[in-house]
Amino acid sequence: CVCVQSHNSSVSPPTVRIVHSGHACNVEEERHAERVYTIREGETLELTCLVTGHPRPQIRWTKTAGSVSDRFQDSSVFNETLHITKIQRHQGGRYYCKAENGLGSPAIKSIRVDVYFLDDPVVTVHQSVGEAKEQFYYERTVFLRCMANSNPPVRYSWHRGRDVLSQGSDKGVEIYEPFFTQGETKILKLKNLRPQDYANYSCIASVRNVCGISDRNIVFKLTNKTVSPSIKLLVEDPIVVNPGQTVSLVCITTGGEPKPTLSWVSSSDSLPEKSVVKGGTLTLPAITSDEAGVYSCVATNNVGNPAKKSTTIVVRAMKKGRFWITPDPYHNDDNIQIGREVKISCQVEATPPEELTFGWLKNGRALRSSERMVITQTDPDTSPGTTNLDIIDLKFTDFGTYTCVAALKGGGIPEISIDVNISSTTVPPNLTVPRGKSPLVVREGDTVELECLVSGKPKPIILWSRADKEAPMPDGTLQVESYDGVLRIVNVSREMTGSYRCQTSQFNGFNVKPREAVVELIVQYPPTVEPVSLEMRQGLGRPVAMNCRVLRAHPSRVLRYEWRLGNRLLHAGHFDQSDETEYTVKSLNREGWGEYTCDIINEAGAGRCTFLVTGKAYPPEFYYDTYSPLWQNRPRVYGFKLQWTQMNPNAVDRIVAYRLGIRQVEQRWWEQEITVEGTITKGELITHNLTELIKPEAYEVRLTPITRFGEGDSTIRIITYSGEFLILSSGEFHCSFEEEPICMFTQDKNDDFDWTRHSAATRDTKYTPNTGPSGDRSGSKQGFYMYIETSRPRKEGEVARLVSPFFNVAPKNPYGITNPPAYCFGFFFHMYGKHIGTLNALLRQKGQAATEGPTWSLSGNQGDHWKQAKVSIHPTASFQVVLEGIRGPGIEGDIAIDDVTLEEGECRDLPAVSKYRNTVIKYSATMYSLFWAKYNSSLLCFFVNSFQCVSHGRCIGWQGLLHLGGDPGGKGSPSMGTGGGS
């Protein structure tokens, strides 16, 4: 294969289209500029983003849903195909495909996915009893409400037994349509219940069988015993238990028809994982404090309101025992003094708080409240779980160890004991920072200990916080407790530089004004530089300039730099006023390729810029928009036209060759080298034909550029055989029959003979004169076209059919109202010779019987000229177009076709026309239109603009109206134009 180079720039901005191949039940194309894709819940959604553009655009799928809570499983999908199996209702919404390749604006298309579903309906019953004024009877009215979740909106119908209920069919029944009720519900009102109203009522919910969703129904039996539920809990409220106990909650129904269904819920939204529900009994084995809360039993039978009863489970617990000493509250003194009052306070968090009891001991012996030793318990509402011991008129004999003992009345929970020593050495705390511990200078990543020395007895808890700003501590909290006055920070970072405050708390110490101190922390870190890593590609003999810049450093003074290639020192120095350093290679040689480093150094370490200088070529960029890439289509093998451009070809030395690797997926690579002549320019499209690829296998192709440096970056793509279906990714199909595969057109197997691919340059010298074209549609004798050869042994009426590949379109609309897309099918034809038969164009749709007749047809000699035909088609399924040639009465009847096109959208500016058929013919140069009509038993030919027509008679070069047949010279015959003709 020869490597062909095209010198046309092939870069182009992206375009994008969305096509679908999942289980859609309807797609409305471009209705009010919006595409709506309807799918049944549980089916597979598959949307493909078809893109054009070079370099190959990056594709990203995103979703904007109907509400903020509806989120894409992933925020985005970077793939051509969006595939969602078993789609759910919350996955409906608008999906966007965005393609960008750096040229122009990104291309964006969207499609709205509408998920259809219908849930089983639910019937709820409500009854009202009212006493009519001045009368002695009660009116009992029952309302039956039916509701089902659905998309699209549901329609309801009611049946009593087998009878359909409708408004007005029964005076005792009223039906409220959804318009008069909130939401899509339908209410049945039974006024002043009668014996016949006790019956089975069926509510049928329907979405009119859209997407094949069948109707759903529910039956409710109304009797004179129908009543809303009532329940009873066989437990106390609240239930107080110890941790580890098994708790059983029993709920029973005391009424309700139909029989109510019982369920349990908790205040924490979900029941504990290990809980067991059996009937109306909820069992919580080995309960913990986290499982305490309110538990509710709920009974429902869809009659009236649900019944609900609740109980609270309280799990006993005690934690956080603390104390504090308050010197004489009546004197402004922080010290304990003989002859004055001292108060000892003790606090414990307890559940339930009302079960908490306190006892006091002195030196291990029980202490009772007296005039000098006053024991009080604080009001639980103001300071829960707190007890105080007031020592009035402190004496030497009062010195000793006082113990506060906390317990719960119910038992089962270990007691908490807190010891407080009162003596002559009991003094308030003081805080100091050790010498040399502030400011504290450390390096980033180290472990550091900030220290405050606390004196006094007892030693209180120390609280650490940031002093210089409102910022969290390293563990994320605003305050950290320390029992030894030390704050330990692991892996310290530069953001932790600043002032830290240590202060005493009242807990486990004196209840006096807090003492505090401040520690300064300075974190040093090596220079932060840019670029950290940069690859620089350059050809031999060219200069290379590398620049390394300091962004941040502490300390920022005394910075020095060192440039190296590998381990070899190239240059070193100190920074003056600048914050960057540069090193230049004036003329790159082979020894200059490699890794250059620049280390910028301070006391804390070094920051490094790395430059990889290489002559490596950039990767090629495959061209995915190749028109008709299948160029060889034999029975068992196919060929593929591989095209690419080279990224930044001038950045390095000239590319001398490409190494092409090809393999079937997951097989071994086969490689060959493609030589490149001359210099590749930016945007130049390079072509290489791959041959003998086995149908229908897919192949992996790897392409690697080669320069004097060696191999560059590789690019890989997948090639697939697409012989069955074509998707109009660019919105247009075009075939000029210039290559042997003839654009995957095939010969019909059920016709009489075949179309022939031909060019005037290779035509047999024995060809039949006075028929057929002398060149292709463009006038070239080397160009190819297709024609039917009508010489012997062909007979009159024999048929040759040329069949296009399949084209994909949207499926049929399930509502029966079709809204299919439109396509314009066009081709050039040549019908010259006195024995010309008929040329037909037909539409063949997959899964459907053949159409009744051709969509376009023309018969007879049309002159020795190529002319164009166009016709709009509206397929509702995957389709093929067929060109059918029918042999006329003799050998001078060759019919040829060329330049077949298929474009999206209606054919534009077409006349309404045809010879006895609703068809359209459009000619290529100036717009000519033609139609035939019967008038006064004569055949009339109407023309707009000048052209030549051959059919029953000849009209040449005139404007106006020509009368054909009948009495050309008779009364009412129009005059000829200036061109004249017969």
Side-chain angles (χ1 to χ4, degrees):
C1 295
V2 179
C3 183
V4 181
Q5 298 188 358
S6 165
H7 294 276
N8 296 326
S9 179
S10 55
V11 296
S12 59
T15 68
V16 62
R17 297 175 65 240
I18 297 175
V19 297
H20 40 82
S21 53
H23 299 154
C25 49
N26 181 37
V27 178
E28 297 182 29
E29 299 285 350
E30 305 300 338
R31 186 188 68 173
H32 307 300
E34 177 180 61
R35 299 182 73 197
V36 181
Y37 181 104
T38 305
I39 187 170
R40 181 173 175 171
E41 188 173 50
E43 299 287 3
T44 297
L45 171 71
E46 191 166 288
L47 300 175
T48 300
C49 209
L50 298 180
V51 299
T52 65
H54 189 75
R56 181 69 166 169
Q58 293 247 332
I59 299 172
R60 180 182 180 187
W61 281 99
T62 56
K63 179 194 173 195
T64 302
S67 66
V68 178
S69 61
D70 294 338
R71 300 192 183 273
F72 212 173
Q73 299 96 322
D74 303 310
S75 60
S76 55
V77 174
F78 292 89
N79 199 357
E80 290 184 7
T81 301
L82 174 65
H83 187 93
I84 301 176
T85 56
K86 296 183 179 178
I87 191 168
Q88 300 301 304
R89 60 194 68 178
H90 68 271
Q91 293 172 309
R94 181 170 296 283
Y95 288 83
Y96 292 86
C97 175
K98 179 180 180 181
E100 52 188 335
N101 65 355
L103 299 175
S105 300
I108 301 175
K109 289 287 184 181
S110 69
I111 186 169
R112 183 163 63 85
V113 176
D114 205 1
V115 182
Y116 278 6
F117 61 91
L118 174 60
D119 291 344
D120 289 327
V122 175
V123 169
T124 56
V125 181
H126 296 271
Q127 176 178 303
S128 66
V129 178
E131 183 178 357
K133 290 183 178 180
E134 300 178 0
Q135 295 187 32
F136 298 95
Y137 68 86
Y138 287 93
E139 181 186 81
R140 297 179 61 202
T141 299
V142 171
F143 298 89
L144 279 72
R145 168 177 286 184
C146 187
M147 186 170 66
N149 295 319
S150 74
N151 183 32
V154 70
R155 290 181 182 173
Y156 301 95
S157 57
W158 283 99
H159 291 238
R160 180 163 56 198
R162 296 184 178 180
D163 299 331
V164 178
L165 291 176
S166 57
Q167 188 68 33
S169 62
D170 186 332
K171 291 183 178 179
V173 177
E174 287 185 10
I175 298 176
Y176 295 87
E177 296 293 334
F179 182 79
F180 299 107
T181 58
Q182 193 164 12
E184 282 294 327
T185 63
K186 191 166 189 177
I187 297 176
L188 193 67
K189 180 181 179 182
L190 306 177
K191 300 181 294 183
N192 195 15
L193 279 181
R194 305 161 299 178
Q196 63 264 37
D197 292 330
Y198 297 119
N200 288 335
Y201 290 85
S202 301
C203 172
I204 300 172
S206 173
V207 288
R208 286 78 69 198
N209 203 39
V210 297
C211 283
I213 298 175
S214 56
D215 295 349
R216 305 287 178 90
N217 74 300
I218 188 172
V219 177
F220 185 87
K221 184 177 182 180
L222 183 66
T223 71
N224 59 359
K225 295 181 180 179
T226 299
V227 69
S228 57
S230 58
I231 55 175
K232 181 179 181 181
L233 283 183
L234 303 182
V235 292
E236 297 177 356
D237 183 30
I239 304 172
V240 182
V241 296
N242 291 329
Q245 281 186 241
T246 296
V247 180
S248 292
L249 307 179
V250 181
C251 178
I252 60 171
T253 58
T254 56
E257 178 65 34
K259 186 179 179 181
T261 301
L262 297 177
S263 61
W264 282 93
V265 294
S266 78
S267 54
S268 60
D269 295 331
S270 60
L271 295 174
E273 288 186 12
K274 59 187 178 183
S275 62
V276 178
V277 178
K278 188 174 182 181
T281 300
L282 169 65
T283 302
L284 304 172
I287 195 165
T288 65
S289 296
D290 294 335
E291 294 168 350
V294 178
Y295 289 80
S296 303
C297 175
V298 181
T300 57
N301 68 350
N302 293 340
V303 179
N305 295 318
K308 183 177 180 179
K309 297 280 187 180
S310 301
T311 186
T312 302
I313 298 178
V314 178
V315 180
R316 292 187 178 93
M318 284 195 303
K319 58 183 178 179
K320 281 195 176 178
R322 290 176 165 177
F323 74 91
W324 59 91
I325 302 169
T326 306
D328 189 346
Y330 304 105
H331 295 82
N332 188 16
D333 199 335
D334 290 348
N335 293 289
I336 296 174
Q337 295 187 28
I338 298 295
R340 291 189 179 176
E341 182 179 334
V342 176
K343 179 162 54 170
I344 305 171
S345 300
C346 177
Q347 185 182 66
V348 173
E349 291 182 14
T351 304
E354 61 270 16
E355 285 194 7
L356 179 63
T357 62
F358 286 105
W360 284 91
L361 306 176
K362 179 185 178 184
N363 299 327
R365 298 178 65 180
L367 191 67
R368 295 190 177 184
S369 186
S370 64
E371 288 184 2
R372 268 197 344 102
M373 296 283 184
V374 181
I375 298 173
T376 59
Q377 191 156 339
T378 308
D379 184 354
D381 293 334
T382 59
S383 182
T386 304
T387 182
N388 302 306
L389 171 62
D390 275 300
I391 304 175
I392 311 296
D393 188 16
L394 180 69
K395 302 180 183 299
F396 282 107
T397 55
D398 295 328
F399 288 169
T401 299
Y402 292 84
T403 304
C404 164
V405 181
L408 291 179
K409 293 177 184 176
I413 303 298
E415 295 178 340
I416 291 179
S417 296
I418 303 168
D419 292 335
V420 183
N421 187 266
I422 299 294
S423 69
S424 59
T425 61
T426 304
V427 293
N430 194 25
L431 275 182
T432 57
V433 177
R435 186 182 298 274
K437 290 292 186 177
S438 181
L440 198 59
V441 180
V442 297
R443 292 191 177 179
E444 192 169 44
D446 289 349
T447 295
V448 62
E449 289 187 346
L450 278 62
E451 187 177 355
C452 278
L453 291 178
V454 57
S455 60
K457 186 178 180 181
K459 290 184 178 181
I461 296 172
I462 302 300
L463 303 177
W464 283 93
S465 60
R466 293 294 291 259
D468 54 346
K469 53 186 174 181
E470 286 290 330
M473 297 292 285
D475 67 350
T477 62
L478 290 175
Q479 214 170 49
V480 175
E481 290 186 355
S482 169
Y483 286 84
D484 59 1
V486 175
L487 174 65
R488 192 167 188 265
I489 304 175
V490 179
N491 192 22
V492 67
S493 65
R494 63 192 66 178
E495 294 80 12
M496 297 175 188
T497 294
S499 302
Y500 290 79
R501 178 189 297 111
C502 61
Q503 68 179 32
T504 59
S505 74
Q506 71 175 42
F507 299 117
N508 298 359
F510 273 70
N511 182 21
V512 293
K513 182 179 179 181
R515 276 57 167 165
E516 64 179 49
V518 174
V519 177
E520 292 290 338
L521 178 64
I522 299 171
V523 181
Q524 293 184 343
Y525 52 90
T528 301
V529 298
E530 69 173 7
V532 174
S533 179
L534 179 66
E535 184 181 43
M536 304 183 72
R537 306 192 187 207
Q538 189 60 279
L540 293 173
R542 303 178 189 174
V544 180
M546 294 162 277
N547 184 286
C548 186
R549 181 166 172 251
V550 181
L551 299 178
R552 293 175 298 277
H554 189 82
S556 57
R557 63 188 185 281
V558 198
L559 292 176
R560 70 180 196 276
Y561 58 84
E562 295 176 355
W563 283 94
R564 282 182 167 84
L565 173 58
N567 294 321
R568 179 162 58 94
L569 182 64
L570 301 174
H571 181 53
H574 287 82
F575 283 97
D576 296 324
Q577 301 300 318
S578 175
D579 60 355
E580 60 185 38
T581 173
E582 185 174 281
Y583 183 79
T584 301
V585 178
K586 294 181 180 179
S587 179
L588 188 65
N589 56 28
R590 291 182 179 276
E591 291 71 30
W593 282 323
E595 185 176 271
Y596 292 76
T597 58
C598 174
D599 289 333
I600 298 180
I601 307 157
N602 70 356
E603 295 173 25
R608 171 171 286 188
C609 296
T610 301
F611 303 88
L612 181 62
V613 177
T614 172
K616 200 175 186 181
Y618 285 95
E621 296 175 308
F622 282 116
Y623 189 69
Y624 286 82
D625 300 336
T626 303
Y627 174 73
S628 190
L630 286 181
W631 65 275
Q632 178 194 51
N633 198 12
R634 302 211 301 271
R636 287 186 294 274
V637 298
Y638 68 99
F640 193 89
K641 186 189 297 181
L642 188 70
Q643 293 186 304
W644 69 91
T645 60
Q646 178 60 44
M647 181 190 292
N648 300 333
N650 302 320
V652 295
D653 292 323
R654 185 179 76 83
I655 293 169
V656 296
Y658 285 95
R659 178 164 288 114
L660 173 71
I662 186 168
R663 67 175 181 178
Q664 291 183 27
V665 179
E666 303 300 330
Q667 301 296 316
R668 293 179 58 186
W669 288 99
W670 176 85
E671 291 187 333
Q672 73 171 106
E673 200 163 284
I674 304 170
T675 304
V676 175
E677 301 294 338
T679 302
I680 298 174
T681 59
K682 186 175 179 64
E684 180 178 338
L685 194 61
I686 305 168
T687 303
H688 180 80
N689 290 331
L690 303 174
T691 61
E692 304 299 320
L693 305 178
I694 300 170
K695 289 183 180 179
E697 299 294 334
Y699 287 85
E700 198 172 2
V701 176
R702 181 178 65 200
L703 201 59
T704 310
I706 301 171
T707 63
R708 286 189 291 176
F709 174 83
E711 291 192 357
D713 291 335
S714 300
T715 303
I716 292 178
R717 71 164 289 185
I718 301 294
I719 288 173
T720 55
Y721 176 71
S722 56
E724 281 192 40
F725 288 87
L726 286 181
I727 299 174
L728 299 180
S729 60
S730 61
E732 179 180 357
F733 169 82
H734 175 260
C735 184
S736 57
F737 306 109
E738 296 303 320
E739 295 175 343
E740 184 55 44
I742 59 173
C743 316
M744 291 183 284
F745 273 85
T746 55
Q747 308 282 355
D748 192 353
K749 296 179 180 178
N750 298 316
D751 56 5
D752 302 308
F753 66 108
D754 288 345
W755 287 78
T756 303
R757 179 172 172 265
H758 205 59
S759 79
T762 60
R763 188 164 58 181
D764 192 336
T765 54
K766 298 180 180 179
Y767 77 94
T768 306
N770 302 319
T771 190
S774 58
D776 73 354
R777 198 275 299 179
S778 67
S780 168
K781 292 190 179 297
Q782 281 72 37
F784 284 85
Y785 54 88
M786 301 295 290
Y787 87 108
I788 58 169
E789 174 57 68
T790 56
S791 301
R792 284 185 289 272
R794 301 277 71 83
K795 298 177 182 178
E796 184 175 3
E798 287 188 336
V799 175
R801 298 189 191 94
L802 190 65
V803 184
S804 78
F806 270 105
F807 297 95
N808 272 337
V809 296
K812 290 185 71 176
N813 187 314
Y815 297 102
I817 305 170
T818 57
N819 185 23
Y823 295 91
C824 183
F825 174 53
F827 57 92
F828 282 83
F829 62 88
H830 189 283
M831 300 172 67
Y832 169 56
K834 64 183 180 180
H835 299 140
I836 290 292
T838 301
L839 177 62
N840 294 323
L842 304 98
L843 177 65
R844 184 182 290 178
Q845 303 193 63
K846 190 170 186 179
Q848 300 183 23
T851 54
E852 295 182 359
T855 58
W856 182 95
S857 180
L858 192 62
S859 301
N861 186 358
Q862 304 297 317
D864 189 10
H865 301 283
W866 283 98
K867 300 176 182 179
Q868 188 180 24
K870 283 190 176 183
V871 59
S872 293
I873 57 175
H874 302 85
T876 56
S878 299
F879 69 96
Q880 296 167 291
V881 286
V882 181
L883 288 163
E884 179 182 74
I886 303 176
R887 202 245 194 199
I891 63 173
E892 294 182 22
D894 293 355
I895 298 175
I897 59 170
D898 199 0
D899 284 348
V900 178
T901 60
L902 185 68
E903 299 177 348
E904 287 189 339
E906 299 277 356
C907 297
R908 299 178 182 176
D909 304 325
L910 289 179
V913 257
S914 136
K915 186 178 179 183
Y916 307 113
R917 263 195 204 105
N918 181 20
T919 2
V920 174
I921 308 172
K922 183 175 179 183
Y923 293 91
S924 62
T926 316
M927 195 279 285
Y928 304 112
S929 61
L930 150 73
F931 68 90
W932 298 90
K934 292 225 175 172
Y935 180 72
N936 288 341
S937 303
S938 300
L939 209 53
L940 299 180
C941 177
F942 295 83
F943 297 85
V944 179
N945 256 334
S946 109
F947 74 111
Q948 183 183 64
C949 165
V950 180
S951 181
H952 304 293
R954 174 168 291 180
C955 326
I956 303 177
W958 65 289
Q959 296 184 354
L961 177 67
L962 171 67
H963 184 282
L964 295 177
D967 181 15
K971 187 176 180 180
S973 174
S975 60
M976 301 295 287
T978 55
S982 61

